[in-house]
Amino acid sequence: MLALMSDMLPLIIDPWALYRHGSTIVGKLPLAEMPYLLASQNRDSGEAAVSLSVVQRDDGEVVITGQASIDVVLDCQRCLEPMTLTLAVDLHLVLLKHEKRLETIEEDAVVCQDMLELAPLIEQEFILVLPIVAKHENCELAYQNIKLNKRENPFANLKDLLN
Ligand SMILES: [Zn+2]
Protein backbone atom coordinates (compact mmCIF):
# COMPACT_ATOMS: atom_id res chain seq x y z
CA MET A 1 0.00 0.00 0.00
CA LEU A 2 1.31 3.38 -1.02
CA ALA A 3 1.14 6.17 1.52
CA LEU A 4 1.27 9.75 0.33
CA MET A 5 2.73 11.91 3.07
CA SER A 6 2.24 15.63 2.87
CA ASP A 7 1.68 18.37 5.37
CA MET A 8 -1.42 20.02 3.91
CA LEU A 9 -4.02 17.85 2.22
CA PRO A 10 -5.48 18.91 -1.12
CA LEU A 11 -8.92 20.51 -0.71
CA ILE A 12 -10.34 18.47 -3.55
CA ILE A 13 -9.54 14.79 -3.94
CA ASP A 14 -10.33 12.06 -6.44
CA PRO A 15 -11.57 9.25 -4.17
CA TRP A 16 -11.80 6.79 -7.06
CA ALA A 17 -8.12 7.34 -7.84
CA LEU A 18 -7.28 6.74 -4.16
CA TYR A 19 -9.28 3.54 -4.41
CA ARG A 20 -7.54 2.39 -7.60
CA HIS A 21 -4.08 3.14 -6.22
CA GLY A 22 -4.76 1.83 -2.72
CA SER A 23 -3.34 5.08 -1.37
CA THR A 24 -3.68 6.49 2.11
CA ILE A 25 -3.52 10.25 2.37
CA VAL A 26 -2.25 11.74 5.62
CA GLY A 27 -2.07 15.44 6.36
CA LYS A 28 -3.73 18.55 7.68
CA LEU A 29 -6.78 20.58 6.78
CA PRO A 30 -7.04 24.21 7.91
CA LEU A 31 -9.91 25.10 10.21
CA ALA A 32 -10.51 28.11 7.93
CA GLU A 33 -11.89 25.68 5.33
CA MET A 34 -14.58 24.55 7.79
CA PRO A 35 -16.69 27.69 8.27
CA TYR A 36 -19.49 26.12 10.34
CA LEU A 37 -17.08 24.55 12.79
CA LEU A 38 -15.08 27.77 12.88
CA ALA A 39 -18.20 29.78 13.75
CA SER A 40 -18.90 27.53 16.74
CA GLN A 41 -15.77 28.48 18.63
CA ASN A 42 -13.70 31.40 19.78
CA ARG A 43 -10.57 31.27 17.70
CA ASP A 44 -9.78 31.76 14.04
CA SER A 45 -6.94 29.39 13.25
CA GLY A 46 -6.13 25.75 13.72
CA GLU A 47 -6.02 22.59 11.71
CA ALA A 48 -7.41 19.11 11.60
CA ALA A 49 -5.21 16.02 11.30
CA VAL A 50 -6.69 13.63 8.78
CA SER A 51 -5.80 10.20 7.51
CA LEU A 52 -7.99 8.66 4.88
CA SER A 53 -8.16 5.81 2.42
CA VAL A 54 -10.75 4.32 0.08
CA VAL A 55 -11.14 0.55 0.20
CA GLN A 56 -13.54 -2.18 -0.82
CA ARG A 57 -15.46 -3.77 2.02
CA ASP A 58 -16.25 -7.48 2.26
CA ASP A 59 -19.78 -6.85 1.00
CA GLY A 60 -18.42 -5.22 -2.16
CA GLU A 61 -19.18 -1.59 -1.22
CA VAL A 62 -16.41 0.93 -1.65
CA VAL A 63 -15.96 2.99 1.53
CA ILE A 64 -14.07 6.10 2.55
CA THR A 65 -12.43 5.20 5.82
CA GLY A 66 -10.03 6.89 8.18
CA GLN A 67 -9.63 9.15 11.19
CA ALA A 68 -9.73 12.87 11.80
CA SER A 69 -9.08 14.97 14.88
CA ILE A 70 -8.97 18.64 15.77
CA ASP A 71 -8.57 20.75 18.90
CA VAL A 72 -11.42 23.21 19.25
CA VAL A 73 -11.63 26.08 21.70
CA LEU A 74 -15.11 26.71 23.02
CA ASP A 75 -16.50 29.04 25.66
CA CYS A 76 -17.48 27.20 28.81
CA GLN A 77 -21.18 27.86 29.28
CA ARG A 78 -20.81 27.93 33.05
CA CYS A 79 -17.78 30.15 33.75
CA LEU A 80 -17.37 31.68 30.25
CA GLU A 81 -13.64 30.92 30.26
CA PRO A 82 -12.24 29.19 27.16
CA MET A 83 -11.92 25.43 27.15
CA THR A 84 -10.01 23.24 24.70
CA LEU A 85 -11.59 20.05 23.51
CA THR A 86 -10.19 17.42 21.15
CA LEU A 87 -12.73 16.13 18.68
CA ALA A 88 -11.77 12.76 17.21
CA VAL A 89 -13.88 10.95 14.66
CA ASP A 90 -13.72 7.71 12.74
CA LEU A 91 -14.73 8.13 9.13
CA HIS A 92 -16.78 5.46 7.44
CA LEU A 93 -18.78 6.52 4.42
CA VAL A 94 -19.98 4.42 1.54
CA LEU A 95 -18.76 5.92 -1.72
CA LEU A 96 -21.33 5.83 -4.51
CA LYS A 97 -20.99 6.75 -8.15
CA HIS A 98 -24.71 7.22 -8.80
CA GLU A 99 -27.30 9.08 -6.80
CA LYS A 100 -29.91 6.40 -7.54
CA ARG A 101 -28.12 3.99 -5.24
CA LEU A 102 -28.77 6.28 -2.25
CA GLU A 103 -32.29 4.89 -2.11
CA THR A 104 -31.04 1.39 -1.38
CA ILE A 105 -28.31 2.31 1.11
CA GLU A 106 -29.18 2.54 4.79
CA GLU A 107 -25.91 3.97 6.08
CA ASP A 108 -23.98 7.20 5.64
CA ALA A 109 -23.00 7.55 2.02
CA VAL A 110 -21.54 10.13 -0.31
CA VAL A 111 -22.23 10.37 -4.03
CA CYS A 112 -19.24 11.31 -6.12
CA GLN A 113 -18.73 11.00 -9.87
CA ASP A 114 -15.15 12.22 -9.93
CA MET A 115 -13.86 14.88 -7.53
CA LEU A 116 -14.80 15.36 -3.88
CA GLU A 117 -14.41 18.39 -1.64
CA LEU A 118 -12.63 17.08 1.42
CA ALA A 119 -13.15 19.84 4.01
CA PRO A 120 -17.01 19.83 4.09
CA LEU A 121 -16.97 16.06 4.47
CA ILE A 122 -14.64 16.17 7.47
CA GLU A 123 -16.35 19.24 8.92
CA GLN A 124 -19.70 17.45 8.94
CA GLU A 125 -18.25 14.60 10.99
CA PHE A 126 -16.77 17.03 13.53
CA ILE A 127 -20.04 18.94 13.87
CA LEU A 128 -21.85 15.70 14.68
CA VAL A 129 -19.66 15.20 17.75
CA LEU A 130 -19.55 18.83 18.92
CA PRO A 131 -21.05 19.11 22.40
CA ILE A 132 -24.35 21.00 22.39
CA VAL A 133 -23.36 22.71 25.62
CA ALA A 134 -19.65 22.94 26.39
CA LYS A 135 -18.70 22.96 30.08
CA HIS A 136 -15.49 22.38 32.02
CA GLU A 137 -15.69 19.24 34.10
CA ASN A 138 -14.64 21.41 37.01
CA CYS A 139 -14.76 25.14 36.33
CA GLU A 140 -12.95 26.09 39.53
CA LEU A 141 -10.00 23.84 38.70
CA ALA A 142 -9.81 25.22 35.18
CA TYR A 143 -9.92 28.76 36.58
CA GLN A 144 -7.13 28.04 39.07
CA ASN A 145 -4.97 26.72 36.25
CA ILE A 146 -5.41 29.97 34.38
CA LYS A 147 -4.50 32.01 37.46
CA LEU A 148 -1.47 29.82 38.08
CA ASN A 149 -0.23 30.34 34.52
CA LYS A 150 -0.53 34.08 34.93
CA ARG A 151 1.48 34.02 38.15
CA GLU A 152 4.26 32.07 36.41
CA ASN A 153 4.64 34.80 33.78
CA PRO A 154 8.33 35.82 34.06
CA PHE A 155 7.49 39.40 33.14
CA ALA A 156 4.83 39.77 35.80
CA ASN A 157 7.17 41.66 38.13
CA LEU A 158 8.78 43.76 35.44
CA LYS A 159 6.55 46.72 36.18
CA ASP A 160 7.66 46.71 39.85
CA LEU A 161 11.32 46.62 38.84
CA LEU A 162 10.94 49.59 36.56
CA ASN A 163 9.39 51.76 39.24
ZN1 LIG B 1 -16.00 26.56 33.10
PDB file of all heavy atoms in Angstrom, residues 95-118:
ATOM      1  N   LEU A  95     -18.992   5.060  -0.562  1.00  0.00           N
ATOM      2  CA  LEU A  95     -18.762   5.916  -1.723  1.00  0.00           C
ATOM      3  C   LEU A  95     -19.577   5.387  -2.900  1.00  0.00           C
ATOM      4  O   LEU A  95     -19.416   4.228  -3.304  1.00  0.00           O
ATOM      5  CB  LEU A  95     -17.268   5.931  -2.053  1.00  0.00           C
ATOM      6  CG  LEU A  95     -16.816   6.806  -3.215  1.00  0.00           C
ATOM      7  CD1 LEU A  95     -17.094   8.273  -2.940  1.00  0.00           C
ATOM      8  CD2 LEU A  95     -15.325   6.591  -3.484  1.00  0.00           C
ATOM      9  N   LEU A  96     -20.458   6.247  -3.416  1.00  0.00           N
ATOM     10  CA  LEU A  96     -21.333   5.833  -4.512  1.00  0.00           C
ATOM     11  C   LEU A  96     -21.057   6.666  -5.754  1.00  0.00           C
ATOM     12  O   LEU A  96     -20.752   7.852  -5.665  1.00  0.00           O
ATOM     13  CB  LEU A  96     -22.810   6.025  -4.122  1.00  0.00           C
ATOM     14  CG  LEU A  96     -23.303   5.300  -2.867  1.00  0.00           C
ATOM     15  CD1 LEU A  96     -24.736   5.715  -2.571  1.00  0.00           C
ATOM     16  CD2 LEU A  96     -23.206   3.798  -3.059  1.00  0.00           C
ATOM     17  N   LYS A  97     -21.188   6.034  -6.899  1.00  0.00           N
ATOM     18  CA  LYS A  97     -20.986   6.752  -8.152  1.00  0.00           C
ATOM     19  C   LYS A  97     -22.304   7.372  -8.622  1.00  0.00           C
ATOM     20  O   LYS A  97     -22.308   8.411  -9.272  1.00  0.00           O
ATOM     21  CB  LYS A  97     -20.451   5.799  -9.222  1.00  0.00           C
ATOM     22  CG  LYS A  97     -19.714   6.517 -10.322  1.00  0.00           C
ATOM     23  CD  LYS A  97     -18.391   5.832 -10.630  1.00  0.00           C
ATOM     24  CE  LYS A  97     -17.413   6.810 -11.250  1.00  0.00           C
ATOM     25  NZ  LYS A  97     -16.068   6.298 -11.353  1.00  0.00           N
ATOM     26  N   HIS A  98     -23.419   6.740  -8.283  1.00  0.00           N
ATOM     27  CA  HIS A  98     -24.708   7.218  -8.802  1.00  0.00           C
ATOM     28  C   HIS A  98     -25.702   7.498  -7.676  1.00  0.00           C
ATOM     29  O   HIS A  98     -25.848   6.697  -6.764  1.00  0.00           O
ATOM     30  CB  HIS A  98     -25.292   6.197  -9.783  1.00  0.00           C
ATOM     31  CG  HIS A  98     -24.358   5.886 -10.904  1.00  0.00           C
ATOM     32  ND1 HIS A  98     -24.089   6.784 -11.913  1.00  0.00           N
ATOM     33  CD2 HIS A  98     -23.591   4.793 -11.153  1.00  0.00           C
ATOM     34  CE1 HIS A  98     -23.196   6.250 -12.738  1.00  0.00           C
ATOM     35  NE2 HIS A  98     -22.880   5.054 -12.297  1.00  0.00           N
ATOM     36  N   GLU A  99     -26.359   8.618  -7.811  1.00  0.00           N
ATOM     37  CA  GLU A  99     -27.303   9.079  -6.801  1.00  0.00           C
ATOM     38  C   GLU A  99     -28.432   8.070  -6.574  1.00  0.00           C
ATOM     39  O   GLU A  99     -28.948   7.949  -5.473  1.00  0.00           O
ATOM     40  CB  GLU A  99     -27.888  10.425  -7.246  1.00  0.00           C
ATOM     41  CG  GLU A  99     -28.353  11.281  -6.092  1.00  0.00           C
ATOM     42  CD  GLU A  99     -28.471  12.741  -6.492  1.00  0.00           C
ATOM     43  OE1 GLU A  99     -27.751  13.164  -7.410  1.00  0.00           O
ATOM     44  OE2 GLU A  99     -29.297  13.433  -5.900  1.00  0.00           O
ATOM     45  N   LYS A 100     -28.796   7.357  -7.625  1.00  0.00           N
ATOM     46  CA  LYS A 100     -29.905   6.401  -7.539  1.00  0.00           C
ATOM     47  C   LYS A 100     -29.691   5.370  -6.434  1.00  0.00           C
ATOM     48  O   LYS A 100     -30.628   4.904  -5.807  1.00  0.00           O
ATOM     49  CB  LYS A 100     -30.079   5.678  -8.888  1.00  0.00           C
ATOM     50  CG  LYS A 100     -31.102   6.335  -9.799  1.00  0.00           C
ATOM     51  CD  LYS A 100     -31.213   5.591 -11.119  1.00  0.00           C
ATOM     52  CE  LYS A 100     -32.145   4.384 -11.025  1.00  0.00           C
ATOM     53  NZ  LYS A 100     -32.252   3.702 -12.339  1.00  0.00           N
ATOM     54  N   ARG A 101     -28.422   5.028  -6.213  1.00  0.00           N
ATOM     55  CA  ARG A 101     -28.123   3.989  -5.236  1.00  0.00           C
ATOM     56  C   ARG A 101     -28.376   4.432  -3.796  1.00  0.00           C
ATOM     57  O   ARG A 101     -28.473   3.609  -2.893  1.00  0.00           O
ATOM     58  CB  ARG A 101     -26.672   3.510  -5.388  1.00  0.00           C
ATOM     59  CG  ARG A 101     -26.441   2.695  -6.619  1.00  0.00           C
ATOM     60  CD  ARG A 101     -25.757   1.362  -6.338  1.00  0.00           C
ATOM     61  NE  ARG A 101     -26.061   0.780  -5.047  1.00  0.00           N
ATOM     62  CZ  ARG A 101     -25.131   0.352  -4.193  1.00  0.00           C
ATOM     63  NH1 ARG A 101     -23.866   0.453  -4.491  1.00  0.00           N
ATOM     64  NH2 ARG A 101     -25.474  -0.184  -3.050  1.00  0.00           N
ATOM     65  N   LEU A 102     -28.488   5.749  -3.593  1.00  0.00           N
ATOM     66  CA  LEU A 102     -28.766   6.278  -2.250  1.00  0.00           C
ATOM     67  C   LEU A 102     -30.044   5.688  -1.678  1.00  0.00           C
ATOM     68  O   LEU A 102     -30.165   5.489  -0.474  1.00  0.00           O
ATOM     69  CB  LEU A 102     -28.896   7.806  -2.296  1.00  0.00           C
ATOM     70  CG  LEU A 102     -27.629   8.646  -2.132  1.00  0.00           C
ATOM     71  CD1 LEU A 102     -27.981  10.112  -2.189  1.00  0.00           C
ATOM     72  CD2 LEU A 102     -26.930   8.333  -0.804  1.00  0.00           C
ATOM     73  N   GLU A 103     -30.992   5.414  -2.553  1.00  0.00           N
ATOM     74  CA  GLU A 103     -32.293   4.892  -2.113  1.00  0.00           C
ATOM     75  C   GLU A 103     -32.158   3.516  -1.469  1.00  0.00           C
ATOM     76  O   GLU A 103     -32.975   3.137  -0.629  1.00  0.00           O
ATOM     77  CB  GLU A 103     -33.252   4.794  -3.314  1.00  0.00           C
ATOM     78  CG  GLU A 103     -33.568   6.143  -3.946  1.00  0.00           C
ATOM     79  CD  GLU A 103     -34.098   6.017  -5.367  1.00  0.00           C
ATOM     80  OE1 GLU A 103     -34.457   4.894  -5.767  1.00  0.00           O
ATOM     81  OE2 GLU A 103     -34.147   7.043  -6.059  1.00  0.00           O
ATOM     82  N   THR A 104     -31.156   2.761  -1.874  1.00  0.00           N
ATOM     83  CA  THR A 104     -31.041   1.388  -1.375  1.00  0.00           C
ATOM     84  C   THR A 104     -30.010   1.259  -0.252  1.00  0.00           C
ATOM     85  O   THR A 104     -29.804   0.181   0.284  1.00  0.00           O
ATOM     86  CB  THR A 104     -30.641   0.430  -2.524  1.00  0.00           C
ATOM     87  OG1 THR A 104     -29.407   0.891  -3.090  1.00  0.00           O
ATOM     88  CG2 THR A 104     -31.703   0.418  -3.603  1.00  0.00           C
ATOM     89  N   ILE A 105     -29.359   2.358   0.086  1.00  0.00           N
ATOM     90  CA  ILE A 105     -28.311   2.309   1.110  1.00  0.00           C
ATOM     91  C   ILE A 105     -28.862   2.840   2.429  1.00  0.00           C
ATOM     92  O   ILE A 105     -29.508   3.878   2.458  1.00  0.00           O
ATOM     93  CB  ILE A 105     -27.099   3.163   0.654  1.00  0.00           C
ATOM     94  CG1 ILE A 105     -26.364   2.450  -0.478  1.00  0.00           C
ATOM     95  CG2 ILE A 105     -26.175   3.485   1.793  1.00  0.00           C
ATOM     96  CD1 ILE A 105     -25.229   1.570  -0.029  1.00  0.00           C
ATOM     97  N   GLU A 106     -28.626   2.120   3.500  1.00  0.00           N
ATOM     98  CA  GLU A 106     -29.177   2.537   4.793  1.00  0.00           C
ATOM     99  C   GLU A 106     -28.117   3.056   5.740  1.00  0.00           C
ATOM    100  O   GLU A 106     -28.316   3.131   6.937  1.00  0.00           O
ATOM    101  CB  GLU A 106     -29.928   1.369   5.432  1.00  0.00           C
ATOM    102  CG  GLU A 106     -31.244   1.087   4.720  1.00  0.00           C
ATOM    103  CD  GLU A 106     -32.028  -0.027   5.387  1.00  0.00           C
ATOM    104  OE1 GLU A 106     -31.552  -0.550   6.409  1.00  0.00           O
ATOM    105  OE2 GLU A 106     -33.104  -0.365   4.876  1.00  0.00           O
ATOM    106  N   GLU A 107     -26.954   3.399   5.221  1.00  0.00           N
ATOM    107  CA  GLU A 107     -25.914   3.970   6.076  1.00  0.00           C
ATOM    108  C   GLU A 107     -25.407   5.265   5.442  1.00  0.00           C
ATOM    109  O   GLU A 107     -25.833   5.635   4.353  1.00  0.00           O
ATOM    110  CB  GLU A 107     -24.783   2.957   6.281  1.00  0.00           C
ATOM    111  CG  GLU A 107     -24.231   2.401   4.984  1.00  0.00           C
ATOM    112  CD  GLU A 107     -23.275   1.240   5.222  1.00  0.00           C
ATOM    113  OE1 GLU A 107     -22.444   1.354   6.125  1.00  0.00           O
ATOM    114  OE2 GLU A 107     -23.369   0.240   4.494  1.00  0.00           O
ATOM    115  N   ASP A 108     -24.509   5.942   6.147  1.00  0.00           N
ATOM    116  CA  ASP A 108     -23.977   7.201   5.635  1.00  0.00           C
ATOM    117  C   ASP A 108     -23.239   6.961   4.325  1.00  0.00           C
ATOM    118  O   ASP A 108     -22.375   6.090   4.242  1.00  0.00           O
ATOM    119  CB  ASP A 108     -23.021   7.833   6.653  1.00  0.00           C
ATOM    120  CG  ASP A 108     -23.766   8.324   7.871  1.00  0.00           C
ATOM    121  OD1 ASP A 108     -24.997   8.544   7.761  1.00  0.00           O
ATOM    122  OD2 ASP A 108     -23.142   8.495   8.925  1.00  0.00           O
ATOM    123  N   ALA A 109     -23.602   7.748   3.340  1.00  0.00           N
ATOM    124  CA  ALA A 109     -22.997   7.551   2.023  1.00  0.00           C
ATOM    125  C   ALA A 109     -22.749   8.904   1.371  1.00  0.00           C
ATOM    126  O   ALA A 109     -23.368   9.908   1.721  1.00  0.00           O
ATOM    127  CB  ALA A 109     -23.909   6.712   1.142  1.00  0.00           C
ATOM    128  N   VAL A 110     -21.818   8.912   0.442  1.00  0.00           N
ATOM    129  CA  VAL A 110     -21.544  10.127  -0.305  1.00  0.00           C
ATOM    130  C   VAL A 110     -21.503   9.770  -1.788  1.00  0.00           C
ATOM    131  O   VAL A 110     -20.947   8.751  -2.183  1.00  0.00           O
ATOM    132  CB  VAL A 110     -20.241  10.813   0.193  1.00  0.00           C
ATOM    133  CG1 VAL A 110     -19.063   9.882   0.151  1.00  0.00           C
ATOM    134  CG2 VAL A 110     -19.943  12.063  -0.602  1.00  0.00           C
ATOM    135  N   VAL A 111     -22.195  10.598  -2.585  1.00  0.00           N
ATOM    136  CA  VAL A 111     -22.232  10.366  -4.026  1.00  0.00           C
ATOM    137  C   VAL A 111     -21.151  11.214  -4.677  1.00  0.00           C
ATOM    138  O   VAL A 111     -21.057  12.412  -4.426  1.00  0.00           O
ATOM    139  CB  VAL A 111     -23.609  10.747  -4.620  1.00  0.00           C
ATOM    140  CG1 VAL A 111     -23.612  10.540  -6.128  1.00  0.00           C
ATOM    141  CG2 VAL A 111     -24.706   9.936  -3.963  1.00  0.00           C
ATOM    142  N   CYS A 112     -20.335  10.577  -5.479  1.00  0.00           N
ATOM    143  CA  CYS A 112     -19.242  11.312  -6.121  1.00  0.00           C
ATOM    144  C   CYS A 112     -18.922  10.679  -7.470  1.00  0.00           C
ATOM    145  O   CYS A 112     -18.591   9.507  -7.546  1.00  0.00           O
ATOM    146  CB  CYS A 112     -18.024  11.290  -5.207  1.00  0.00           C
ATOM    147  SG  CYS A 112     -16.573  11.999  -5.967  1.00  0.00           S
ATOM    148  N   GLN A 113     -19.068  11.491  -8.525  1.00  0.00           N
ATOM    149  CA  GLN A 113     -18.726  10.998  -9.871  1.00  0.00           C
ATOM    150  C   GLN A 113     -17.219  11.022 -10.075  1.00  0.00           C
ATOM    151  O   GLN A 113     -16.634  10.068 -10.544  1.00  0.00           O
ATOM    152  CB  GLN A 113     -19.390  11.893 -10.928  1.00  0.00           C
ATOM    153  CG  GLN A 113     -20.889  11.971 -10.833  1.00  0.00           C
ATOM    154  CD  GLN A 113     -21.576  10.873 -11.637  1.00  0.00           C
ATOM    155  OE1 GLN A 113     -20.935  10.214 -12.432  1.00  0.00           O
ATOM    156  NE2 GLN A 113     -22.865  10.689 -11.417  1.00  0.00           N
ATOM    157  N   ASP A 114     -16.603  12.146  -9.736  1.00  0.00           N
ATOM    158  CA  ASP A 114     -15.153  12.216  -9.934  1.00  0.00           C
ATOM    159  C   ASP A 114     -14.412  12.863  -8.761  1.00  0.00           C
ATOM    160  O   ASP A 114     -13.698  12.191  -8.048  1.00  0.00           O
ATOM    161  CB  ASP A 114     -14.804  12.911 -11.249  1.00  0.00           C
ATOM    162  CG  ASP A 114     -15.675  14.124 -11.530  1.00  0.00           C
ATOM    163  OD1 ASP A 114     -16.027  14.841 -10.574  1.00  0.00           O
ATOM    164  OD2 ASP A 114     -15.996  14.360 -12.707  1.00  0.00           O
ATOM    165  N   MET A 115     -14.629  14.197  -8.559  1.00  0.00           N
ATOM    166  CA  MET A 115     -13.860  14.877  -7.529  1.00  0.00           C
ATOM    167  C   MET A 115     -14.730  15.185  -6.298  1.00  0.00           C
ATOM    168  O   MET A 115     -15.925  15.419  -6.412  1.00  0.00           O
ATOM    169  CB  MET A 115     -13.261  16.184  -8.068  1.00  0.00           C
ATOM    170  CG  MET A 115     -12.371  16.000  -9.289  1.00  0.00           C
ATOM    171  SD  MET A 115     -10.976  14.870  -9.010  1.00  0.00           S
ATOM    172  CE  MET A 115      -9.791  16.021  -8.304  1.00  0.00           C
ATOM    173  N   LEU A 116     -14.081  15.196  -5.136  1.00  0.00           N
ATOM    174  CA  LEU A 116     -14.802  15.355  -3.877  1.00  0.00           C
ATOM    175  C   LEU A 116     -14.129  16.445  -3.043  1.00  0.00           C
ATOM    176  O   LEU A 116     -12.912  16.452  -2.890  1.00  0.00           O
ATOM    177  CB  LEU A 116     -14.741  14.019  -3.130  1.00  0.00           C
ATOM    178  CG  LEU A 116     -15.548  13.856  -1.850  1.00  0.00           C
ATOM    179  CD1 LEU A 116     -17.044  13.948  -2.139  1.00  0.00           C
ATOM    180  CD2 LEU A 116     -15.221  12.511  -1.217  1.00  0.00           C
ATOM    181  N   GLU A 117     -14.951  17.367  -2.543  1.00  0.00           N
ATOM    182  CA  GLU A 117     -14.410  18.390  -1.640  1.00  0.00           C
ATOM    183  C   GLU A 117     -14.209  17.768  -0.268  1.00  0.00           C
ATOM    184  O   GLU A 117     -15.151  17.283   0.357  1.00  0.00           O
ATOM    185  CB  GLU A 117     -15.398  19.554  -1.541  1.00  0.00           C
ATOM    186  CG  GLU A 117     -15.178  20.620  -2.593  1.00  0.00           C
ATOM    187  CD  GLU A 117     -15.951  21.866  -2.249  1.00  0.00           C
ATOM    188  OE1 GLU A 117     -15.399  22.720  -1.544  1.00  0.00           O
ATOM    189  OE2 GLU A 117     -17.120  21.955  -2.665  1.00  0.00           O
ATOM    190  N   LEU A 118     -12.986  17.808   0.202  1.00  0.00           N
ATOM    191  CA  LEU A 118     -12.630  17.082   1.421  1.00  0.00           C
ATOM    192  C   LEU A 118     -13.092  17.795   2.698  1.00  0.00           C
ATOM    193  O   LEU A 118     -13.646  17.174   3.606  1.00  0.00           O
ATOM    194  CB  LEU A 118     -11.106  16.879   1.445  1.00  0.00           C
ATOM    195  CG  LEU A 118     -10.554  15.877   2.424  1.00  0.00           C
ATOM    196  CD1 LEU A 118     -11.234  14.528   2.281  1.00  0.00           C
ATOM    197  CD2 LEU A 118      -9.052  15.731   2.232  1.00  0.00           C
TER     198      LEU A 118
END
